[in-house]
Amino acid sequence: MSDAEFYAAALAEAKAGMAEGGIPIGASMVVDGKVVAVGRNQRVQRGSAIHHGETNCIENAGRLPASVYAKATIYTTLSPCTMCAGTILLYKIPRVVIGENVNFEASEAWLRSNGVELVLLDDLETKTMFKNWIDANPTLWNEDIGVED
């Protein structure tokens, strides 16, 4: 399968999160050509401070040996925040495929400087969906990224 096909699982998670009234950021984790976990930002749904799309996906993968993370790719609809990037670095995930980074970008240089391969899909559907959501939910978005209104 291609990056676009694996990315579709992350985008589906973002849409599911938005339908639940949450923040539309989704992720999938692929190892050896198979999706091993998906997740979505669940800060609203769970009342959580840390369940961003990528962290929720990694949580949903469960406890895995380091050798599995070392060959994983994380697909995410939005460029990772520093918390999610830190989790990616902690588990030494070598590759991240990003749907879009126009609406948010905070950690790409840091990830690259630590040897992570980044692929930007620059997906128009994702950019439009997220921009529309931010415009409709500025307070919730600012809370998600740790900014005061």
Side-chain angles (χ1 to χ4, degrees), residues 13-15 17-18 22-26 41 77-78 126 129-130 133:
E13 285 294 307
K15 291 176 180 179
M18 186 166 55
I23 299 160
I25 303 170
N41 186 304
T77 56
L78 191 65
T126 306
M129 174 190 70
F130 205 73
W133 183 87

Side-chain angles (χ1 to χ4, degrees), residues 55-122:
T55 57
N56 181 253
C57 179
I58 292 167
E59 169 73 10
N60 290 341
R63 293 174 60 192
L64 299 172
S67 60
V68 174
Y69 293 115
K71 55 187 177 175
T73 297
I74 290 285
Y75 293 80
T76 179
T77 56
L78 191 65
S79 186
C81 72
T82 53
M83 177 176 66
C84 294
T87 304
I88 289 163
L89 292 174
L90 175 69
Y91 289 104
K92 297 176 180 59
I93 296 170
R95 187 169 184 265
V96 177
V97 176
I98 300 166
E100 72 106 337
N101 66 357
V102 171
N103 290 295
F104 180 79
E105 194 281 308
S107 67
E108 291 179 23
W110 184 39
L111 287 165
R112 276 191 198 95
S113 73
N114 280 277
V116 177
E117 175 191 355
L118 299 181
V119 176
L120 177 63
L121 297 178
D122 198 31

